[in-house]
Amino acid sequence: LQKVLGIIINIDSEKREEQLLQERADRDPLTKLFNKTAARNRAEEYLSQLRDGVECALLIIDLDDFKQINDRFGHLYGDSVLTRAAREIGKLFRPQDIVARIGGDEFLVLMRGVSDRGLVENRCRRLLDGIAAAFPEENGSISCSIGAALAPQHGKNYAALFQKADHALYCAKARGKNNSVIYSEEALR
C-alpha cells in the first residue's frame, strides 16, 4: 500500500442549519416558546426518566376572556397580549423547565424537580400577579387561570398529568377570573 486517498468534508454549516431548522420547528412562531408537540415530546421524555423521590408539576395556563380581547381590539392587539403574556410566563420559570404555548391562549409549564406543593402554589400566585401587572393599561382586565397537577401523586405520565391539570383549570375558571387550583379530589367538588 503506497497511497491512501480520502476526502475530508466539513459538515459543520450543514449541521448548524439542521439544528436551526429543528429549533424553528419546535417553536411557536409568535411567542418563541416551545409549541405543543415539542413540549409534549420533552415532557414525555422527562417523565419517562423520573426516578423515585423526584417530583414535578404540570401547569396549564389560560388567559381569561381572550376571545373578547380579540373581538374588541383586533387580532394584532391579541397577538401583542399573547407575546407579552408569554414573556411574563417565561420570566417566572427556570431554564430547565418546559414552557410552551399549546393553543390559542393556552400555555403549559412543566416545572422539573419540584417536590414542594407550596412552591407550586407560590409560583401560581406570582404568575397570576405577574400577568395582571404586565398589562397596567388594561386596569386588571387581562388575567389568567391556572390548573396544576403534581407527579407522581396525580399521575406518572404526560396524558394523566395533563388531564388532571386540565380538570383543575376548569375548576379555577369556575371560581372566577384570576384563580389557580392544584388538582385534588376536594378541589373538584
Side-chain angles (χ1 to χ4, degrees):
L1 184 67
Q2 295 190 355
K3 287 187 197 178
V4 174
L5 185 61
I7 299 174
I8 297 176
I9 299 172
N10 184 351
I11 61 168
D12 187 52
S13 62
E14 291 171 13
K15 284 292 186 188
R16 277 189 234 173
E17 182 67 25
E18 185 179 310
Q19 287 174 333
L20 180 62
L21 289 173
Q22 184 61 50
E23 182 69 19
R24 284 185 187 156
D26 287 348
R27 297 287 175 171
D28 172 63
L30 179 65
T31 64
K32 307 302 183 233
L33 298 176
F34 286 118
N35 61 35
K36 183 177 186 173
T37 302
R40 181 181 183 127
N41 290 343
R42 282 168 171 71
E44 286 176 341
E45 181 181 344
Y46 176 76
L47 291 166
S48 73
Q49 297 171 3
L50 277 183
R51 298 176 316 279
D52 288 339
V54 177
E55 300 177 21
C56 65
L58 184 93
L59 283 62
I60 300 176
I61 304 147
D62 184 74
L63 296 181
D64 296 324
D65 300 325
F66 184 73
K67 182 181 181 329
Q68 291 176 4
I69 293 168
N70 266 343
D71 290 347
R72 185 170 179 203
F73 300 108
H75 291 280
L76 286 178
Y77 182 75
D79 286 352
S80 75
V81 168
L82 290 171
T83 302
R84 287 163 52 193
R87 202 174 3 216
E88 192 63 34
I89 293 166
K91 285 191 318 190
L92 288 173
F93 295 95
R94 304 164 298 176
Q96 66 264 32
D97 295 330
I98 299 167
V99 181
R101 178 177 174 214
I102 59 171
D105 66 331
E106 283 193 331
F107 299 87
L108 176 141
V109 176
L110 181 76
M111 297 174 64
R112 297 180 186 207
V114 175
S115 59
D116 180 10
R117 182 185 182 103
L119 177 70
V120 176
E121 290 170 348
N122 178 277
R123 194 57 50 94
C124 288
R125 175 53 43 207
R126 287 179 56 200
L127 183 53
L128 294 172
D129 294 343
I131 292 292
F135 300 95
E137 70 279 3
E138 297 298 329
N139 298 320
S141 65
I142 295 180
S143 60
C144 68
S145 298
I146 306 168
L150 308 174
Q153 301 94 303
H154 304 136
K156 294 182 180 180
N157 63 54
Y158 180 82
L161 286 174
F162 191 93
Q163 180 185 31
K164 301 275 175 49
D166 201 37
H167 283 297
L169 174 64
Y170 283 107
C171 183
K173 286 190 157 296
R175 293 180 181 180
K177 295 180 184 182
N178 209 38
N179 274 297
S180 66
V181 171
I182 296 178
Y183 180 87
S184 70
E185 295 299 325
E186 298 81 40
L188 299 179
R189 291 187 189 140

